[in-house]
Amino acid sequence: MSFDVRPCGNLDEYGHALASIGQYFGHELNREREERFSRMLPVERMHAAWDDGRIVGGAGAFPFQLSVPGGTLACAGTTVVGVAPTHRRRGVLRAMMRAHLDDAHERGEPLAALWASEETIYGRFGYGRAAFAGEVNVPKEYVDYAAPTERAGTVRIVERDEALETFPSLWEALARVRPGVFIRSPDWWELRTLDDPPERRQGGGPKRFALLEVDGAPAAYAIYRHQMDWEDGVSTGKVVVQEAVAGQAPALAELWRYLLDIDWVATITTWLVPPDHPLFFVLAQTRRTRYRLGDGLWVRLVDVGAALAGRSYPQDGEVVFEVRDAFCPWNEGRWRLAGGEASRTDAEADIALDAGALGAAYLGGIRFAQLAQGGAVQELKPGAIERADGIFRHGLHPWCPEIF
Ligand SMILES: CC(C)(COP(=O)(O)OP(=O)(O)OC[C@H]1O[C@@H](n2cnc3c(N)ncnc32)[C@H](O)[C@@H]1OP(=O)(O)O)[C@@H](O)C(=O)NCCC(=O)NCCS
């Protein structure tokens, strides 16, 4: 069955397309919320699928820059994907992904990226799991660091306006050292990150904005809230950390000292934490964090040539990929990466793989050798995987601290 999929033409269509996913969250149409959301996800970047004059699905693309090794690249942030339960498993998602990736390609966005609601959905469309991330729950009795650290700097609780002024540059400092960070627009900061309507607090208190300053300069920030509870006169409450961000590890560890020391709570919780987060290297008892690892950001190379040429590489070298890409056939074929330049080639391939596997390895967090463990990468010449891993390696694991 084929469905007519096209970009939304107005806010009315936009609202109905958003409702395709919104219904699963129990949302109702809400014009004010849709208008606000359209300041981050423009109306024309929301595709709607139509059947018999009604919208039965929606899929959006945040037009942002994503940090990659050595800089940032234009990326379609695949989001708010949903299909009406009346139309499930009839090809609506497939038709929307077709329009979504064709659109990103025409716009010259080399990448698309997403957070998956389920790991089984997006591989078929060429997205690969490019990062791991997980939840951390530190019980109050296990907050000690392994080595006594000298306290550096001071933490201040700031108001929203000061947060708006100081936090974005720290987020961007993180983007300079970690791949996988999307650059937030001023609207995103104001309407999403710092916004705190009481109806979305889920029983928690208001967002607190904490700023660590070292030598008088902003060095790290956290957004958190208290979720208090008591049992038998003892606190079972939590400090829930929405995000704690810094460009430099020592500042992040210092900020976490503050968060872990807050009195009157039983647990300090956060999520989307990469496996090489500084916490795991300062806490005395890492086991006690009950770290639960899952998939983080998924990456799709919309344009293999532009994506490969658009990141930097820690070492020179040459590798020829035989890329299979049934969903975006313009990427199919042999690509030679040499000296940071990517070009089509007739040379014999070193490695054969699907576009999804190349997307997984792209940010440097997942190695070709790891992908080969699951059969996703075939080494056609001995030593090619090790060489490719040397070229693609990145010092720090990708980290996207927000689900978009
Ligand atoms: C997930 C969802 C968008 C799928 O839409 P759909 O229109 O039913 O999907 P399609 O019929 O186009 O299916 C395309 C392919 O994906 C597969 N697929 C779809 N949903 C899947 C799921 N949840 N798990 C595994 N496979 C899935 C289909 O079996 C089909 O496989 P094929 O290529 O082998 O034929 C829809 O079920 C939905 O809205 N779910 C709730 C919200 C959600 O999870 N959104 C995704 C947010 S990231």
Side-chain angles (χ1 to χ4, degrees):
M1 197 164 184
S2 75
F3 295 90
D4 182 22
V5 177
R6 53 178 191 270
C8 292
N10 54 50
L11 261 179
D12 206 37
E13 292 180 3
Y14 186 76
H16 282 89
L18 282 176
S20 303
I21 177 88
Q23 68 196 293
Y24 294 100
F25 289 108
H27 292 166
E28 291 180 290
L29 288 176
N30 177 326
R31 182 53 72 103
E32 194 195 325
R33 194 165 62 201
E34 291 145 15
E35 268 170 9
R36 281 161 63 96
F37 197 60
S38 71
R39 286 166 61 185
M40 291 164 281
L41 197 167
V43 171
E44 68 277 10
R45 294 305 305 263
M46 185 73 199
H47 277 95
W50 295 77
D51 183 35
D52 204 17
R54 295 177 74 91
I55 290 178
V56 296
F62 287 120
F64 49 53
Q65 294 277 319
L66 186 77
S67 68
V68 301
T72 62
L73 278 186
C75 175
T78 309
T79 188
V80 289
V81 176
V83 171
T86 49
H87 284 68
R88 67 187 288 284
R89 306 302 181 269
R90 290 203 238 159
V92 176
L93 172 65
R94 179 167 285 276
M96 293 194 302
M97 291 312 294
R98 176 76 279 135
H100 173 76
L101 290 172
D102 284 349
D103 187 41
H105 189 222
E106 276 161 30
R107 288 172 184 274
E109 292 165 339
L111 303 176
L114 58 78
W115 284 90
S117 63
E118 295 180 76
E119 288 164 274
T120 43
I121 302 175
Y122 291 99
R124 62 177 49 76
F125 304 120
Y127 291 78
R129 182 188 53 199
F132 288 109
E135 189 173 319
V136 158
N137 289 286
V138 191
K140 186 68 181 169
E141 27 328 355
Y142 299 112
V143 297
D144 288 347
Y145 284 180
T149 44
E150 232 169 78
R151 304 305 298 266
T154 47
V155 175
R156 279 194 299 125
I157 299 293
V158 300
E159 295 300 320
R160 196 171 165 281
D161 284 355
E162 192 174 352
L164 196 54
E165 229 170 80
T166 50
F167 290 8
S169 62
L170 294 166
W171 175 269
E172 282 159 32
L174 179 71
R176 283 193 289 279
V177 294
R178 294 260 187 185
V181 182
F182 62 92
I183 303 303
R184 291 170 170 163
S185 64
D187 277 340
W188 191 298
W189 277 100
E190 200 171 325
L191 303 176
R192 192 161 155 139
T193 311
L194 302 179
D195 193 37
D196 189 27
E199 67 274 13
R200 275 202 250 134
R201 292 180 189 165
Q202 295 178 323
K207 284 181 184 172
R208 304 278 179 217
F209 307 124
L211 177 66
L212 169 74
E213 289 165 309
V214 178
D215 299 330
Y221 77 83
I223 302 173
Y224 66 92
R225 61 172 101 243
H226 291 263
Q227 197 118 30
M228 282 314 288
D229 220 338
W230 303 87
E231 221 176 274
D232 303 326
V234 178
S235 168
T236 54
K238 287 180 173 183
V239 161
V240 179
V241 180
Q242 174 187 315
E243 60 190 48
V245 164
Q248 300 303 320
L252 198 52
E254 178 68 24
L255 179 72
W256 267 100
R257 189 62 276 149
Y258 163 78
L259 294 166
L260 295 167
D261 282 348
I262 294 174
D263 285 322
W264 243 25
V265 293
T267 315
I268 301 91
T269 293
T270 194
W271 46 78
L272 314 185
V273 173
D276 58 353
H277 190 284
L279 256 188
F280 299 125
F281 301 92
V282 290
L283 279 172
Q285 300 191 63
T286 308
R287 256 185 240 172
R288 299 290 186 167
T289 63
R290 287 175 280 159
Y291 188 45
R292 185 177 57 75
L293 194 66
D295 53 313
L297 197 68
W298 291 64
V299 170
R300 212 280 175 219
L301 305 191
V302 177
D303 180 331
V304 164
L308 288 179
R311 60 154 284 188
S312 66
Y313 299 89
Q315 79 185 39
D316 256 355
E318 183 181 329
V319 60
V320 175
F321 294 108
E322 177 82 50
V323 178
R324 300 179 292 258
D325 195 345
F327 201 69
C328 297
W330 57 83
N331 287 323
E332 286 255 345
R334 264 177 231 164
W335 290 93
R336 177 172 176 268
L337 177 70
E341 301 290 323
S343 54
R344 290 212 171 261
T345 180
D346 292 328
E348 253 183 74
D350 299 303
I351 288 174
L353 74 186
D354 288 337
L358 196 53
Y362 179 73
L363 295 180
I366 308 288
R367 286 180 287 121
F368 291 103
Q370 292 170 320
L371 294 164
Q373 301 289 305
V377 164
Q378 292 81 49
E379 186 173 56
L380 304 177
K381 288 188 197 164
I385 285 184
E386 200 180 333
R387 180 155 36 92
D389 276 332
I391 297 171
F392 275 69
R393 170 176 64 80
H394 185 73
L396 292 174
H397 197 78
W399 182 12
C400 182
E402 182 185 353
I403 294 181
F404 53 80

